[in-house]
Amino acid sequence: MKTGSTRTARGRAGTTDSAAMIPDRPDSGAHALVLVGGGHSHVEVLRRFAASPPSAARLTLVSTGRYTPYSGMLPGLIAGVYRFEDTHIDLALLARRAGAEFIEAGAARLDTGRRALELDNGRLLRYDTLSVNTGSQPDLSRIPGARAHGIPVKPVDSFLKAWEVLRRRGRDEGLRITVVGAGAAGVELTLAMQHSLGGAGGRCEFWLVSDGPVLPSHSAAARRMVQNILIARGVRVQTGRAVVAAEPGRLRLGDGRTVATDATIWTVGAAPPPWIAQSGLTTDPRGFVAIDHHLRSVSHPEVFAAGDSATLLAAPTPKSGVYAVRQGPLLALNLRRAIAGGPLARFRAQRRTLALISAGGRYAVASYGSLALEGRWVWRWKDWIDRRFMARYRED
């Protein structure tokens, strides 16, 4: 857990120039709640606030885009099973229903001393309570050349634009496409892209490269099942081989070998938004907001965080959308209680979670503890769950 950086970050935030830019405290007396990010937890907060608005509160949602993707359906979008509107939530609509102001911008700097958030469009927002649910992005800082030679899977909107160009090239030319990272995201993305580009008999060749095994956080049964699917689909799987550098047209591996590639997709690791490091908030060793069982910052009680942007210090969980979804209801409750000055509830992470992993097209794998199942019926089950989830956030 980082502790020394807090004092330094506060010192930078407290400069004279910064103080001159801080907006005055509103005279309305309303509690200013600012939600940063349109992640899975915050969409549930907005849905619940729309159904039962908190009294004496002024709500603001800040997000880099109007439409936020539901991670569970993105492989289906890439595979061509779903449409954009099937897989994205309209944040502006959701905010309006909750009585919140929606600002399409990104966070640039957080001044925790003066409780003000500076946006990348120059606007400053004063808050009484702040909640962070911005997600994460692939950590490319340790791989030389990764940013210049490849496409990170996040931000999702940028990836989808790049994927459309890559998809057209793949159909016209035939490409060797390499996905780096063999967690669930890498597996799903590989099989979804392959399905879109003609499957195992298509013109494109797919490689999946990882320094660890396929699905490292899942059971041996699930790993074997997914590995067999990848091999049956003709994907070249290279595990136990770390990528140490990216160069034009090739990747260098830790064992000295190289992999030729026409396009590289990065799904490795996870990194927090850079502004968190300068915020003064206590973080975990990787830079994510350190939170307690109330989903509240361990250093700043007026700040909450959930999903991939945070780490529950007492019980760390994988960076997965399933936890952000499950934190949403409790986050909404605790934000409501923070506004009212009431006692906070505790979040209890489940020891086991059900993972439904897309395997290209209408096929999926279910992984729960030591149990693993596969088939088209698993995909139909997953499709039913995903569509039911998205229906909560549609216009009535």
Side-chain angles (χ1 to χ4, degrees), residues 79-166:
V81 175
Y82 299 126
R83 302 167 299 170
F84 180 91
E85 54 267 32
D86 296 327
T87 62
H88 284 70
I89 298 167
D90 186 338
L91 292 175
L93 173 62
L94 203 57
R96 184 167 66 249
R97 291 164 60 183
E101 178 186 5
F102 173 69
I103 303 174
E104 188 169 347
R109 191 173 66 88
L110 178 63
D111 186 334
T112 51
R114 294 180 175 84
R115 297 193 184 186
L117 177 71
E118 182 179 346
L119 307 183
D120 58 13
N121 63 5
R123 184 171 174 180
L124 284 163
L125 300 175
R126 205 276 307 165
Y127 63 87
D128 294 303
T129 300
L130 183 83
S131 183
V132 182
N133 183 211
T134 54
S136 62
Q137 54 196 10
D139 184 4
L140 306 182
S141 60
R142 299 180 181 180
I143 305 175
R147 297 188 186 280
H149 306 293
I151 305 167
V153 72
K154 293 181 179 179
V156 171
D157 57 345
S158 298
F159 172 76
L160 291 177
K161 293 175 183 177
W163 160 242
E164 186 57 31
V165 175
L166 186 61

Side-chain angles (χ1 to χ4, degrees), residues 40-41 70-72 154 307-308 318-327:
H40 296 353
S41 298
Y70 173 47
S71 59
K154 293 181 179 179
D308 285 4
K319 300 301 179 184
S320 169
V322 66
Y323 292 101
V325 169
R326 292 181 178 180
Q327 289 172 348

Side-chain angles (χ1 to χ4, degrees), residues 339-357:
I339 293 169
L344 302 182
R346 291 170 62 89
F347 175 75
R348 292 175 174 81
Q350 290 181 275
R351 293 180 57 190
R352 294 179 180 177
T353 60
L354 172 66
L356 298 175
I357 302 164

Side-chain angles (χ1 to χ4, degrees), residues 208-265:
L208 183 62
V209 180
S210 177
D211 58 355
V214 170
L215 297 187
S217 62
H218 292 259
S219 68
R223 291 198 297 270
R224 285 193 301 270
M225 189 171 288
V226 170
Q227 180 99 7
N228 289 339
I229 291 172
L230 290 165
I231 293 172
R233 305 277 177 87
V235 176
R236 301 289 296 275
V237 180
Q238 301 289 306
T239 56
R241 294 178 178 174
V243 175
V244 296
E247 301 171 352
R250 66 178 181 178
L251 300 173
R252 289 193 175 275
L253 306 182
D255 60 6
R257 302 183 187 184
T258 61
V259 173
T261 182
D262 297 308
T264 302
I265 313 296

